[in-house]
């Protein structure tokens, strides 16, 4: 009676799969790629709605084949059970040969795995399939936007109630752990998906006081020394003091799709500089949301932010103080660092359906980090739609 | 006054670095590799005691050069600041050319990154530097063992007190969240380092009832359906019921080095089958610890376990029921899946200083998962030393 355990591998509704395949094939055509062999978890999830151990081949004609290693209970049309990559050879022999241009997920899969996969399917020319999927994924379907909206609402609800988690004398990490617990109890999966193996983060960042100015190896907007040299980012055990803002930027992965939002909190009186910088951050977010339109270059948004920062005389504190992050926003979705990137040298151009996080942040020496982050959807017409709606002022913890 | 922020990049004491370099160079020599260019976080941490953004080159003569991208505040002998990989070219021109055999971390770094790094340093022949570092890291230094012992003690303390976290009516995930919180409050970094990009897990696994029998895509000893298809492993919201064991296998990363241990708990009466299977697991652990000696093949330990399982008539339930994991133990250290591997086709041979987790587990249909897991150090003489010492019987939650 093994069949009673069977489960469909493909979890996406037919029209949703069609939408996603359409985007992938469009990007393949533009890159002159004949097929894409997907081997990383994020892209397997994008194309099926689940993570499994195996591979997916997508042809330029939208044909899709699934090669399943584990778990063996998954079934469906075009699902081929394999024990090892080499078992794909005969199953792809009609599609792949030494003259085919196959996109592999070269930015997301180790060198040795790609080499083996390439040989296993007949040694085609290796093209950049990661770039194809990155381009496709940068424009969300309505279903994807809905999942991000849902994650954003859940995170915003927790940000609203966050002052209830604070007790006098807490350290940054103690407050973070209570937020982690509430996030988890509300369904957060914990896993914080990031593209690329270098960026590591646990459940997000809670930064207060001087720790906000500790440079980290990771290319996140804000640093922090972290709890140790094997994960040097975020909270470091600093006691939360009156007049020192607490910046909270936590993981909102509730369903495989991330929203991204930051809010600041304070106990005691809020220094005027902190309030002003937070207000500037809020105004930059608003200006970017007002200006962002399909067809616009993403780097223009960085320039817009920078011009407001320069006018306010806040350049030295923008996106860090001792070290500066070189962007003001980024795409979000299955991972926290997708396209488009809002950075000076970005070549990305906005399209309707992009979902971005905008995070103009400031580090004020002797005070700490302030600023907000919201997630937005780029609309076909009109301003970008805000997806994260907790109050934007620095909230009192008292 | 920028210099007051300076910090040494190399955190390992001189003799410790020497020990580790000795192992790396021995493995390089055996593989006939001229140098290794390290580009993944786990191996950067192994060679410096910290994670930074950059690369390390180790020559066959134990010469070591550090190439630092971020954070810029790190300094020290042989630390070269670079902005991009190509800046290494001149700095390595005396050591690397088209005829050199350079080991890259090909199992741990994306294809496109390795390609760029290779070109950047003069297009040497690409050898498997991951294998070199895996071999070196499989034999721990006394300092590394001490860090694992410390993680094991902290995890075991929490396992001892775990029944205090249980409240009647809790689900598996609710209990797991309370364990996560206590782990974090005791200094657990949260990050659960795994080699390779495919295996994903959050803070560990709490499995109860039939969920223990849900096959997962990941090659962990036990599965579980998880909270959703984007992280299909572990707790799935099953209510903890009397007579159904709860298997707890949580993350013990307190300092960059992992211990690994599993214990089982139960509310109400413990079924006799569960008690017997748990006792068999305990006896297998003991037998393996008693038998393990340097020079012994790791696969023999799997055979030893299997022979005891066969004798007990428990083959159908060993390492899973609907699907079976093909090992009974694995090396641990900076990541949870190191060498040696205790599996039927493993070619690994034990050496003094190996640290392994042994986890003979059983899934009993209608009951759930039982079995224990301990971490052990392979000693130069005598039985392996147990590093995790919470009580091994199924503990009552009541």
């Amino acid at each position: 009676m093994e069949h009673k355990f069977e489960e469909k591998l493909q979890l996406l509704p037919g029209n949703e799969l069609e939408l996603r395949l359409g985007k992938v094939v469009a990007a393949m055509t533009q890159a002159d790629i004949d097929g894409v062999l997907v081997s990383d978890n994020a892209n397997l999830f994008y194309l099926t709605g689940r993570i499994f151990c195996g591979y997916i081949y997508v042809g330029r004609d939208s044909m899709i084949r699934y090669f399943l290693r584990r778990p063996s209970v998954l079934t469906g049309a075009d699902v081929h059970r394999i024990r090892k990559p080499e078992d794909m050879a005969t199953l792809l022999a009609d599609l792949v040969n030494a003259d085919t241009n196959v996109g592999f997920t070269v930015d997301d899969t180790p060198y040795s795995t790609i080499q083996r996969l390439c040989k296993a399917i007949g040694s085609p020319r290796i093209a950049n399939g990661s770039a194809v999927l990155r381009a496709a994924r940068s424009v969300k379907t309505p279903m994807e936007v809905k999942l991000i909206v849902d994650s954003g609402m859940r995170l915003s609800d927790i940000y609203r109630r966050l002052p209830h988690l604070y007790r006098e004398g807490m350290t940054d990490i103690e407050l973070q752990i209570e937020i982690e617990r509430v996030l988890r109890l509300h369904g957060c999966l914990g896993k914080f998906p990031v593209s690329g193996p270098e960026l590591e983060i646990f459940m997000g960042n809670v930064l207060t006081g001087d720790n906000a100015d500790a440079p980290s190896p990771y290319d996140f907007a804000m640093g922090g020394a972290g709890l140790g040299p094997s994960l040097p980012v975020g909270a470091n055990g600093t006691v939360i003091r009156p007049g020192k803002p607490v910046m909270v930027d936590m993981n909102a992965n509730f369903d495989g799709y991330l929203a991204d939002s930051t809010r600041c909190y304070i106990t005691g009186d809020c220094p005027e500089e902190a309030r002003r910088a937070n207000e500037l951050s809020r105004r930059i977010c608003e200006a970017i949301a007002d200006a962002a339109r399909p067809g616009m270059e993403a780097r223009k948004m960085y320039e817009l932010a920078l011009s407001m920062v320069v006018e306010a005389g806040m350049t030295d504190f923008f996106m860090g103080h001792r070290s500066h992050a070189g962007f003001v926003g980024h795409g979000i979705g299955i991972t926290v660092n997708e396209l488009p990137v809002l950075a000076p040298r970005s070549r990305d151009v906005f399209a309707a359906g992009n979902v971005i996080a905008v995070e103009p942040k400031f580090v004020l020496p002797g005070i700490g980090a302030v600023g907000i982050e919201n997630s937005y959807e780029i609309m076909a017409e009109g301003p970008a739609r805000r997806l994260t709606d907790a109050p934007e002022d620095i909230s009192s913890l008292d």
Side-chain angles (χ1 to χ4, degrees), chain A residues 15 37 39 76 78 82 140 223 244 249 259 270 292 297 310 317 360:
Chain A
N15 57 341
L37 186 74
S39 56
D78 304 309
I82 61 169
K140 271 66 186 172
K244 306 284 186 185
D249 184 1
C270 184
E297 292 164 293
V310 170
F317 316 110

Side-chain angles (χ1 to χ4, degrees), chain A residues 86-152:
Chain A
E86 289 70 23
D87 297 340
M88 287 188 287
T90 51
L91 298 163
L92 285 174
D94 54 330
L95 293 168
V96 178
N97 58 56
D99 293 325
T100 334
N101 242 344
V102 173
F104 293 81
T105 50
V106 293
D107 299 338
D108 308 290
T109 301
Y111 182 86
S112 51
T113 306
I114 295 290
Q115 274 212 315
R116 180 169 177 188
L117 289 173
C118 179
K119 217 168 149 187
I121 65 170
S123 301
R125 287 193 299 273
I126 296 178
N128 193 332
S130 290
V132 164
L133 281 144
R134 210 153 40 226
R137 279 167 47 192
S138 73
V139 177
K140 271 66 186 172
T141 66
M143 174 182 157
E144 291 184 287
V145 173
K146 203 171 160 299
L147 290 165
I148 299 172
V149 166
D150 185 58
S151 290

Side-chain angles (χ1 to χ4, degrees), chain A residues 65-218:
Chain A
R65 286 187 193 160
Y66 310 89
F67 302 100
L68 173 69
R69 298 178 70 180
R70 268 192 311 266
S72 57
V73 290
L74 304 180
T75 59
D78 304 309
V79 174
H80 304 276
R81 292 271 298 278
I82 61 169
R83 289 188 51 239
K84 51 186 196 300
E86 289 70 23
D87 297 340
M88 287 188 287
T90 51
L91 298 163
L92 285 174
D94 54 330
L95 293 168
V96 178
N97 58 56
D99 293 325
T100 334
N101 242 344
V102 173
F104 293 81
T105 50
V106 293
D107 299 338
D108 308 290
T109 301
Y111 182 86
S112 51
T113 306
I114 295 290
Q115 274 212 315
R116 180 169 177 188
L117 289 173
C118 179
K119 217 168 149 187
I121 65 170
S123 301
R125 287 193 299 273
I126 296 178
N128 193 332
S130 290
V132 164
L133 281 144
R134 210 153 40 226
R137 279 167 47 192
S138 73
V139 177
K140 271 66 186 172
T141 66
M143 174 182 157
E144 291 184 287
V145 173
K146 203 171 160 299
L147 290 165
I148 299 172
V149 166
D150 185 58
S151 290
M153 285 196 313
R154 298 213 233 178
L155 180 65
S156 299
D157 282 348
I158 289 168
Y159 280 179
R160 267 187 207 98
R161 293 179 297 147
L162 193 140
H164 298 291
L165 300 175
Y166 174 75
R167 295 182 307 274
E168 204 185 312
M170 262 187 169
T171 62
D172 49 7
I173 187 68
E174 286 167 349
L175 177 59
Q176 175 165 336
I177 292 167
E178 299 310 321
I179 303 170
E180 289 171 3
R181 176 172 176 274
V182 171
L183 279 164
R184 293 278 285 152
L185 287 172
H186 284 76
C188 179
L189 301 174
K191 177 174 90 157
F192 201 152
V194 178
S195 299
E198 284 171 24
L199 293 183
E200 296 186 309
I201 189 162
F202 180 55
M203 279 276 284
N205 262 0
V206 171
L207 293 171
T208 194
D210 290 340
N211 183 45
D213 207 9
S216 114
Y218 310 109

Side-chain angles (χ1 to χ4, degrees), chain A residues 235-270:
Chain A
N236 73 337
T238 301
V239 175
I240 296 169
R241 302 274 184 209
K244 306 284 186 185
V246 183
M247 175 179 273
V248 176
D249 184 1
M250 294 292 290
N251 176 1
N253 175 15
F254 291 90
D255 44 30
Y257 278 83
L258 293 162
D260 201 359
S261 181
T262 300
R263 290 296 184 267
C264 289
Y265 301 84
I266 200 159
T267 174
D269 292 331
C270 184

Side-chain angles (χ1 to χ4, degrees), chain A residues 288-306:
Chain A
I288 290 177
D290 277 347
R293 292 289 186 288
M296 195 172 274
E297 292 164 293
R299 66 177 173 80
K300 296 278 186 201
M301 298 297 105
Y302 184 85
E303 289 163 14
L304 171 59
L306 192 62

